Amino acid sequence: MAARILDGKSLAAKVRAAVKRDVEALAQRGIRPGLAVILAGDNPASRVYVRNKVRACEETGVRSEMYELPANVSEEALIDRVLALNDDSDIHGILVQLPLPKQIHADRVLESVAPAKDVDGFHESNLGALLAGKPRMVPCTPAGVMRLLDHAGVAIAGAHAVVIGRSNIVGKPLSLLLLQRDATVTICHSKSKDLENIARSADILVAAVGRAKLVTGRMVKPGACVIDVGVNRLTDGSLAGDVEFASASEVAGWITPVPGGVGPMTIAMLLENCLRAASASH
Ligand code: NAP
């Protein structure tokens, strides 16, 4: 039986519409959420991501400011820009697009963002709050995955969730969110042995690796919910996830497409975080 599609594109449109209504309500109180986006260097994929985020801001009434810095920008100059934005009361959210140029320590830059304006949820204090079970700013991609699961009514409590990938921005925070909702969570990574069997025991299987078609239908338990976070550019220029959609969707109960699954939800959650930051600042 073919899997049901978890349609991130349409759910994200609903979230954006709700954000737009809330932005209008905030405007009645004289507050306009403002997001600053910093793009350092000329990574073409980053440019596309930033453009999509800025477009989503415009659509929902969130004011956005773009700061484009050259690829050879110094770490000090980049951090100075962040610090100035920390002090700008019209800016409620600061997003530093990753990856950063090689000469820059991304963790130092991310730590310079005021936690209250850290709409990406990457600051150690926000990640720590999540670990402590008191989430504040939650990273957007994991938050988007949880919203997709909830919208589809996928049972999380008691489910075995297998998350492939342990990055600080996707795999780890998503594992914590699933744990908080009483899933039994297994985290896999590049050194994990027997990935195929572990994956096949998952009720909820998340691939957040960055390797096209790593997960095939053979690795999916019949009826499982498969979440594909990966975004991979193939040699023919097309986009593919980490999951081989054709074989996995034959076995899974639910599956996210790429594109149109997790990606749009990430941006929708960013807008929600901006809104929350703006509301909290007043
Ligand atoms: P990352 O920082 O490169 O982390 C990749 C993770 O995958 C690491 O934990 C790595 O293990 C693990 N891994 C690598 N090869 C593996 C293998 N053969 N088997 C099992 N695990 C393996 O990547 P990320 O930033 O988390 O992003 C992951 C993917 O999601 C990328 O394709 C990215 O483009 C995409 N992404 C999409 C969105 C969206 O909105 N849709 C947002 C963010 C990221 P080690 O820790 O052992 O190295």
Side-chain angles (χ1 to χ4, degrees):
M1 199 181 80
R4 277 169 280 178
I5 301 294
L6 291 168
D7 184 350
K9 198 172 165 192
S10 80
L11 180 57
K14 287 189 186 122
V15 173
R16 288 198 305 274
V19 168
K20 188 169 187 217
R21 283 194 297 275
D22 289 350
V23 167
E24 283 160 7
L26 268 186
Q28 303 295 320
R29 293 166 46 202
I31 304 165
R32 174 129 191 242
L35 172 71
V37 181
I38 300 176
L39 176 63
D42 42 21
N43 182 318
S46 293
R47 197 163 281 282
V48 173
Y49 292 140
V50 163
R51 196 171 56 219
N52 290 341
K53 289 168 187 172
V54 167
R55 195 178 293 152
C57 284
E58 281 163 11
E59 189 195 320
T60 50
V62 172
R63 200 172 62 80
S64 65
E65 287 178 6
M66 265 283 284
Y67 294 90
E68 293 196 44
L69 305 174
N72 64 356
V73 64
S74 69
E75 188 174 299
E76 195 186 2
L78 182 43
I79 289 177
D80 281 348
R81 168 48 62 202
V82 171
L83 296 179
L85 291 164
N86 283 346
D87 290 337
D88 183 340
S89 59
D90 289 335
I91 290 296
H92 306 96
I94 301 170
L95 184 155
V96 182
Q97 184 63 45
L98 300 178
L100 289 171
K102 284 192 178 59
Q103 72 277 14
I104 292 170
H105 294 91
D107 49 349
R108 287 188 198 152
V109 175
L110 296 178
E111 286 310 295
S112 69
V113 176
K117 297 190 178 189
D118 171 36
V119 283
D120 259 338
F122 296 162
H123 193 284
E124 282 173 16
S125 73
N126 285 320
L127 289 171
L130 180 58
L131 180 69
K134 300 172 192 165
R136 294 195 293 250
M137 287 287 185
V138 174
C140 303
T141 302
V145 170
M146 297 305 289
R147 191 68 66 86
L148 269 173
L149 294 173
D150 282 336
H151 184 72
V154 174
I156 299 174
H160 183 205
V162 172
V163 179
I164 314 176
R166 58 174 165 180
S167 71
N168 285 345
I169 65 175
V170 187
K172 276 190 219 164
L174 178 55
S175 301
L176 290 170
L177 290 170
L178 288 161
L179 181 63
Q180 213 165 55
R181 293 283 301 278
D182 299 324
T184 301
V185 182
T186 302
I187 306 173
C188 297
H189 46 79
S190 66
K191 311 288 186 300
S192 295
K193 290 180 179 155
D194 204 14
L195 185 65
E196 192 164 318
N197 274 323
I198 298 172
R200 209 183 296 117
S201 69
D203 303 304
I204 299 170
L205 177 61
V206 181
V209 176
R211 287 190 54 172
K213 302 182 183 181
L214 177 85
V215 173
T216 62
R218 281 161 48 88
M219 298 167 72
V220 176
K221 178 177 173 176
C225 175
V226 178
I227 303 287
D228 191 352
V229 180
V231 179
N232 305 289
R233 181 72 64 186
L234 303 183
T235 44
D236 66 2
S238 63
L239 280 189
D242 289 346
V243 176
E244 189 184 64
F245 186 87
S247 63
S249 61
E250 289 288 309
V251 190
W254 287 273
I255 193 165
T256 57
V258 176
V262 175
M265 290 305 295
T266 297
I267 297 181
M269 296 299 104
L270 170 70
L271 296 169
E272 279 197 358
N273 280 351
C274 287
L275 187 67
R276 195 170 298 124
S279 307
S281 72
H282 287 264

